[in-house]
Amino acid sequence: MPSAGRLGGAAVLRLLLAAQAVAAFEPVTTTLVVGGALSLLTGYLYKNPPCRFSECCLVERPFDAEALKQDLEKKLFGQHLASEVILKALTGFKNNKNPKKALTLSLHGWTGTGKNFVSQIVAQSLHPKGLKSNFVHLFIPTLHFPHENQISLYQDQLQKWIRGNVSACASSVFIFDEMDKLHPGVIDAIKPFLDYYEQVDGVSYRKAIFIFLSNAGGDLITKAALDYWRAGKKREDLQLKDLEAMLSVGVFNNKHSGLWHSGLIHKNLIDYFVPFLPLEYRHVKMCVRAEMQARGSAVDEDVVSRVANEMTFSPKDEKVYSDKGCKTVQSRLDFH
């Protein structure tokens, strides 16, 4: 086998791409291939930029908390709680050189309130390519785990996939969308990876990040926000302590949640239950303005009002919160 010092750039590129290809399709084999490639390339990579040829995870990137803060402030509307919790959780976790467990966030709220949007922002703050990164993995229950009679198979596949990818990149990010559509029991397969173990079968998962997105608990969050509104209080006065305990219990007991009676909740392995508040009329207008700006268009307040006015709001008599959040803003703006 040639020494690392004798490797040419083309050879290094081929090895890195081969390792990436295996990581993408055969998680079980990833450890062997990447392990061999790393031992061969160590000397070379000390003398050359490690990410010169392809995306890599050999050197940890400095975490830019200020950039994440600005992204959340500019792009996420009406979610003071979510912004604060996510920023603090990620900053603390990334600044800890020896975390005791993987960071696990569970985002809850009505559709269109920004959960998916935030997961994209977080992914890009951790890996420059965001959701397109080889080290960010998105799972959709209706696509990846559709059959209730194959839960054991899904659990086995999920463990192998996570093990292989964390072996390749310790700071891998795993996003589970639509947790309310996941068959109960599937997610418990990853419990060992979220626990306080130094290693599991020779692999450390302590620098990985797991994010769950769910509509479950949205009704509880909306009720709490509505009670605040009816009492004449500002939504910005709501704090995490007002919602988190209620949210975790509600999700645990919700039969339509992938976390129903989950060991992840029972063993307190989810670090934060992050509530996304229902959006008001003013927030919908913010979304419309942001979408117009993103398209390079001048903001036309008449159009902004027309789009916002076409949304449906609840409760029926008070019409405080948008039923779909900002979910349909893009399509309605297309129409106008």
Side-chain angles (χ1 to χ4, degrees):
M1 181 177 289
S3 66
R6 295 177 185 174
L7 284 173
V12 174
L13 177 59
R14 285 194 297 271
L15 280 168
L16 286 174
L17 291 178
Q20 263 187 9
V22 173
F25 296 105
E26 295 188 41
V28 180
T29 318
T30 300
T31 307
L32 301 177
V33 175
V34 174
L38 288 180
S39 63
L40 182 62
L41 297 176
T42 299
Y44 183 88
L45 292 173
Y46 272 120
K47 302 175 184 178
N48 298 271
C51 300
R52 177 179 174 184
F53 307 105
S54 174
E55 185 188 22
C56 70
C57 193
L58 299 177
V59 179
E60 290 190 27
R61 296 176 60 249
F63 180 67
D64 193 339
E66 184 58 32
L68 175 60
K69 179 182 178 183
Q70 291 180 9
D71 274 348
L72 292 172
E73 288 177 350
K74 293 177 181 178
K75 301 176 182 178
L76 185 66
F77 307 118
Q79 303 299 351
H80 71 284
L81 271 178
S83 295
E84 179 183 12
V85 173
I86 289 169
L87 178 62
K88 288 184 176 180
L90 280 171
T91 302
F93 181 74
K94 295 300 290 185
N95 288 340
N96 185 352
K97 299 300 181 183
N98 186 30
K100 299 302 181 185
K101 66 179 291 296
L103 177 63
T104 309
L105 306 174
S106 193
L107 316 186
H108 298 266
W110 272 2
T111 184
T113 52
K115 302 184 298 298
N116 286 89
F117 192 44
V118 163
S119 68
Q120 295 173 29
I121 293 175
V122 168
Q124 194 156 20
S125 74
L126 298 168
H127 297 285
K129 291 187 177 182
L131 293 182
K132 295 181 180 179
S133 170
N134 291 318
F135 313 121
V136 176
H137 311 279
L138 174 65
F139 297 95
I140 303 171
T142 51
L143 176 65
H144 297 109
F145 317 111
H147 305 297
E148 191 173 6
N149 61 348
Q150 296 186 23
I151 290 178
S152 295
L153 174 63
Y154 297 148
Q155 289 177 325
D156 184 56
Q157 290 176 335
L158 191 53
Q159 286 187 343
K160 289 177 179 177
W161 178 255
I162 292 176
R163 183 182 300 114
N165 282 283
V166 173
S167 297
C169 178
S171 58
S172 290
V173 179
F174 302 93
I175 301 171
F176 293 82
D177 195 7
E178 299 181 337
M179 282 291 292
D180 46 298
K181 297 179 182 177
L182 181 67
H183 300 300
V186 173
I187 202 64
D188 279 353
I190 71 172
K191 178 180 173 294
F193 308 144
L194 309 187
D195 217 328
Y196 291 83
Y197 299 122
E198 186 171 349
Q199 290 187 344
V200 178
D201 291 337
V203 179
S204 173
Y205 297 87
R206 292 183 167 188
K207 293 188 176 182
I209 295 177
F210 295 81
I211 303 175
F212 306 137
L213 314 180
S214 179
N215 291 341
D219 290 343
L220 296 174
I221 297 168
T222 298
K223 182 181 182 304
L226 190 59
D227 287 344
Y228 247 61
W229 180 83
R230 286 170 174 164
K233 300 178 182 179
K234 295 191 301 182
R235 66 189 279 131
E236 289 77 15
D237 291 334
L238 269 170
Q239 299 180 33
L240 185 63
K241 65 180 181 180
D242 298 322
L243 297 170
E244 191 173 31
M246 170 193 69
L247 190 55
S248 64
V249 173
V251 172
F252 183 79
N253 291 316
N254 187 338
K255 290 185 178 181
H256 301 291
S257 166
L259 291 169
W260 180 63
H261 288 186
S262 171
L264 275 58
I265 298 178
H266 181 65
K267 296 296 184 181
N268 298 310
L269 298 180
I270 296 178
D271 298 295
Y272 297 95
F273 286 87
V274 185
F276 279 68
L277 302 176
L279 299 184
E280 300 173 6
Y281 180 79
R282 58 190 170 113
H283 302 127
V284 174
K285 295 181 75 171
M286 291 178 183
C287 292
V288 179
R289 294 188 189 102
E291 179 62 23
M292 296 179 78
Q293 291 170 346
R295 297 183 183 193
S297 304
V299 175
D300 184 329
E301 288 299 330
D302 180 56
V303 174
V304 170
S305 296
R306 278 190 284 163
V307 172
N309 289 336
E310 288 182 359
M311 299 292 186
T312 57
F313 292 81
S314 61
K316 184 177 180 180
D317 296 331
E318 295 159 303
K319 296 184 178 180
V320 183
Y321 301 124
S322 170
D323 292 328
K324 297 180 180 178
C326 288
K327 190 85 170 181
T328 59
V329 161
Q330 290 188 2
S331 59
R332 291 182 181 275
L333 193 55
D334 288 339
F335 177 81
H336 287 283

